[in-house]
Amino acid sequence: MHRRLFVIASTVLVMLVAASLALALGYALSVRQSHRAVEGYARGTLEDSEAVVGYAIREIGSLAALAGQPCDAWSTESLSLQSYLSPFVRQFGIIDDQGNVYCTNFGAARIPSPIEMMQAFERDGVFMTVSDTEVRQRRSLVIAVPMTGGGAINGLVAPDEFAHPSVVRHLGRFGHASLLLDDGSEIVVAKGGAAHPDGSWNTRQSADRGIVKSVRSDDYPFRAVVRADPGFVLRMFKNNLPLIAPLALLLGASLGLLFYRQTTRQMSLEQSLRRSVARDCQDFRIHYQPIIELETDRCVGVEALIRWQHPSMGMIRPDRFIPIAERNGLIVPLTRWLIRTAIDELAPQLYGDPKFHVGVNLAATHFRTFDLVDDLRQLVAYTSLRPSQITLESTEREILSDYDQTPLRVMEMLSAQGFSIAIDDFGTGHNGLAFLQRFPAQILKVDRTFVDTIGTDAVKRPVLDAIVDLGQRLTMGIIAEGVETPEQAAYLRAMGVPYAQGFFFARPMPVADLNAYLEDLEQSLREAAMAKSDNVRRLFGTETPPAAGGITP
């Protein structure tokens, strides 16, 4: 009951985490979308501003005839008419050679101009700055253009002329757009969001609490800057929420359901495994894969592989239930059943041929106690088998322990009693020769990953030759696993590998199929031997083979 509640709580947690991750991903996408949108607003503001400035400069140029003229009624009327007709410039002025504005469309004036104006005339031909003069209650942009006959004409442009309606509409109260001039002055063209404490905007500050995008003009001395507050991102996220929320819920529900089904299925497998083991392993079967002697092509033994025939789930692979059995202490009784059943099913072969053996895979649990030694001693005494007919297979990682010496003592005791010990998947660990010198193993089983390199240019191919050479030098039996092609079998035979197993010879099979396979194999070997004998008789033309001394004429 407690475990089921834990599974339910874990499932809810998985759903919440998955949904939260989906929402977080949606927010990240909204942030990215916001960055693209703000950059688009900056480019749009720049394009609109360039168009307005270009138009204003042309309008200023149309008043070139007024440069140097006195500020009389005709001049002021001309300036007033132009400002009335202009869609952008709200005030014009005439500038003398010293840079002072002496006439506007409102009449005579005396407005000193900054020194930078004259420098700009000499450098760029156009001067721009932000004036304190308010147009529509906001600071305005001053554009001054020098005339060829002397003097200059300027114009004041209202800031809201530069903002495109779409920029103003989308920024709303979550941001603002401005033009930042090269002289350091700034004019806000689209106002929104929260201002700084002093009531001003400073887009040159770091955007630690928002998004700032800046695009510079190639034609004029300013750049368009758009800043969006975090509220802009939140608004974008809110707009995307009708799409993100269902996906987050779907993802959370799907992963939660998958987790729940997988966990409950795992629990179900564990419970089923316990019941099956308690019922004397009635649902388990053993498949046998023949081990072939390459020199004679005879079957000299088999590897016993356990299979679970689940009543409702069908055949379950060992890699699914063996780890469950190991975690729950079921692997020992399961292996005990495997060994006893294999000996019973293979009785004709084991008792009929003292050299025939059966290999059994052992987990690390078997080597941590001495129960295995007692079980096998009693089994051999009860069945009268030779201990050498039982091969105990395990991998390096299953046996090795830096702190516990029990596995070593267990192997030494088993080896002393005559049981064969095989190191499975040799070459995939990290111990090699040091491992063989430490543990009393008699057989090396070469992993199929090395056998697969035969006939290829794989980097691992020389490792196969090294393993075979090592086993031969240590006078150990060598079994190559995973042989699937005649080329692999021929290569191993030429290398002097005595034994092999794999699909090329036979797949794992039930005992009934194994008996039929062994009969067919013996029959084919007898027929091959008879055919060879017939060839000898035909070659020498006699029923009796020639004497060792030579051929008699």
Side-chain angles (χ1 to χ4, degrees):
M1 182 64 180
H2 292 290
R3 188 167 184 180
R4 182 166 295 277
L5 290 176
F6 174 77
V7 171
I8 294 175
S10 300
T11 301
V12 173
L13 180 61
V14 169
M15 294 175 64
L16 293 177
V17 170
S20 300
L21 289 177
L23 291 174
L25 179 59
Y27 182 80
L29 293 176
S30 298
V31 171
R32 185 177 179 182
Q33 186 179 358
S34 299
H35 276 268
R36 290 198 300 266
V38 172
E39 183 174 2
Y41 299 154
R43 294 188 181 279
T45 299
L46 178 67
E47 293 175 0
D48 291 343
S49 300
E50 288 180 331
V52 170
V53 169
Y55 193 91
I57 290 176
R58 289 193 295 272
E59 288 185 320
I60 292 173
S62 67
L63 298 173
L66 297 178
Q69 298 299 319
C71 188
D72 53 18
W74 178 78
S75 297
T76 56
E77 289 178 1
S78 298
L79 295 174
S80 297
L81 178 62
Q82 187 64 31
S83 65
Y84 176 77
L85 297 175
S86 173
F88 302 117
V89 183
R90 294 296 170 257
Q91 181 177 323
F92 289 94
I94 305 174
I95 303 173
D96 59 22
D97 292 336
Q98 285 73 40
N100 303 312
V101 179
Y102 66 90
C103 188
T104 69
N105 47 301
F106 298 108
R110 186 66 180 176
I111 305 174
S113 296
I115 301 176
E116 292 82 357
M117 177 187 293
M118 307 307 295
Q119 297 175 346
F121 287 164
E122 296 176 358
R123 184 179 65 252
D124 304 322
V126 175
F127 171 74
M128 293 185 190
T129 190
V130 177
S131 172
D132 291 332
T133 303
E134 291 187 352
V135 177
R136 297 178 183 174
Q137 297 181 346
R138 296 171 66 184
R139 299 174 70 193
S140 56
L141 178 67
V142 178
I143 305 173
V145 180
M147 300 301 160
T148 55
I153 305 294
N154 75 346
L156 274 64
V157 183
D160 50 2
E161 301 292 353
F162 298 101
H164 193 277
S166 64
V167 175
V168 177
R169 181 174 66 255
H170 286 94
L171 286 178
R173 59 188 179 88
F174 297 108
H176 75 280
S178 63
L179 295 181
L180 188 62
L181 279 65
D182 289 353
D183 65 357
S185 57
E186 181 182 20
I187 178 172
V188 177
V189 300
K191 196 172 184 180
H196 294 287
D198 60 357
S200 63
W201 293 96
N202 188 355
T203 56
R204 288 162 292 182
Q205 291 182 347
S206 60
D208 55 343
R209 293 185 301 171
I211 302 173
V212 173
K213 297 296 180 181
S214 174
V215 184
R216 182 172 180 80
S217 172
D218 294 331
D219 301 321
Y220 304 110
F222 60 78
R223 52 193 176 99
V225 180
V226 174
R227 175 169 182 165
D229 293 341
F232 181 78
V233 179
L234 294 177
R235 184 180 67 172
M236 190 71 70
F237 178 66
K238 183 179 179 180
N239 293 337
N240 294 332
L241 201 57
L243 177 63
I244 297 174
L247 293 178
L249 292 176
L250 179 61
L251 179 62
S254 300
L255 291 182
L257 179 61
L258 181 63
F259 174 82
Y260 181 79
R261 292 183 60 182
Q262 187 68 21
T263 305
T264 52
R265 189 175 185 181
Q266 196 79 353
M267 292 174 58
S268 177
L269 280 178
E270 178 181 329
Q271 295 169 356
S272 297
L273 188 61
R274 289 183 181 276
R275 288 195 296 267
S276 182
V277 173
R279 295 197 303 265
D280 296 328
C281 303
Q282 295 178 1
D283 298 329
F284 290 92
R285 307 289 184 268
I286 302 179
H287 287 191
Y288 303 93
Q289 186 169 34
I291 298 174
I292 304 299
E293 186 178 40
L294 293 176
E295 183 178 357
T296 63
D297 290 329
R298 294 185 179 277
C299 179
V300 296
V302 294
E303 180 178 1
L305 303 170
I306 194 168
R307 299 289 187 266
W308 185 12
Q309 185 65 44
H310 194 278
S312 59
M313 300 182 186
M315 189 69 72
I316 300 178
R317 301 189 311 270
D319 60 343
R320 289 189 58 195
F321 70 84
I322 291 296
I324 301 177
E326 292 179 352
R327 288 195 303 268
N328 293 274
L330 301 174
I331 192 64
V332 172
L334 196 58
T335 304
R336 185 181 293 119
W337 172 87
L338 172 67
I339 296 176
R340 292 182 179 276
T341 305
I343 291 176
D344 182 61
E345 292 183 345
L346 297 174
Q349 290 80 22
L350 293 172
Y351 290 110
D353 183 0
K355 294 184 178 181
F356 194 90
H357 71 276
V358 56
V360 179
N361 289 282
L362 298 181
T365 306
H366 294 88
F367 294 96
R368 296 188 183 128
T369 68
F370 294 94
D371 294 343
L372 177 65
V373 179
D374 296 334
D375 288 345
L376 291 175
R377 185 188 297 117
Q378 295 175 10
L379 181 64
V380 171
Y382 177 77
T383 59
S384 300
L385 286 177
R386 297 171 183 264
S388 59
Q389 290 184 280
I390 300 178
T391 300
L392 308 173
E393 302 180 11
S394 189
T395 62
E396 301 170 48
R397 62 180 178 274
E398 299 285 358
I399 300 174
L400 280 182
S401 175
D402 295 332
Y403 306 102
D404 189 3
Q405 295 299 312
T406 303
L408 175 59
R409 291 197 293 270
V410 170
M411 290 185 66
E412 290 175 342
M413 295 177 66
L414 292 172
S415 181
Q417 294 181 21
F419 294 97
S420 298
I421 298 177
I423 306 304
D424 200 8
D425 301 334
F426 185 79
T428 59
H430 305 284
N431 302 283
L433 181 60
F435 176 84
L436 296 179
Q437 291 174 335
R438 184 180 177 188
F439 289 89
Q442 296 82 34
I443 300 172
L444 290 183
K445 298 196 73 174
V446 183
D447 187 71
R448 66 174 303 151
T449 57
F450 300 108
V451 175
D452 288 341
T453 63
I454 295 176
T456 68
D457 296 328
V459 177
K460 292 183 178 180
R461 189 175 59 81
V463 179
L464 171 64
D465 299 343
I467 294 175
V468 172
D469 181 68
L470 176 62
Q472 292 171 341
R473 289 177 182 272
L474 296 176
T475 64
M476 300 180 68
I478 304 174
I479 302 176
E481 298 180 295
V483 179
E484 297 185 352
T485 66
E487 292 78 14
Q488 292 174 345
Y491 183 88
L492 294 169
R493 188 179 291 108
M495 285 288 295
V497 175
Y499 308 107
Q501 65 183 100
F503 290 175
F504 173 69
F505 304 106
R507 293 175 177 269
M509 63 191 81
V511 66
D513 296 339
L514 175 67
N515 293 331
Y517 168 80
L518 293 176
E519 291 179 4
D520 293 342
L521 181 62
E522 288 297 325
Q523 179 65 26
S524 62
L525 291 175
R526 285 195 296 269
E527 293 175 355
M530 293 177 60
K532 183 178 180 180
S533 177
D534 291 342
N535 290 336
V536 171
R537 286 196 297 270
R538 285 195 297 270
L539 177 64
F540 295 102
T542 177
E543 296 295 330
T544 303
I551 301 176
T552 303

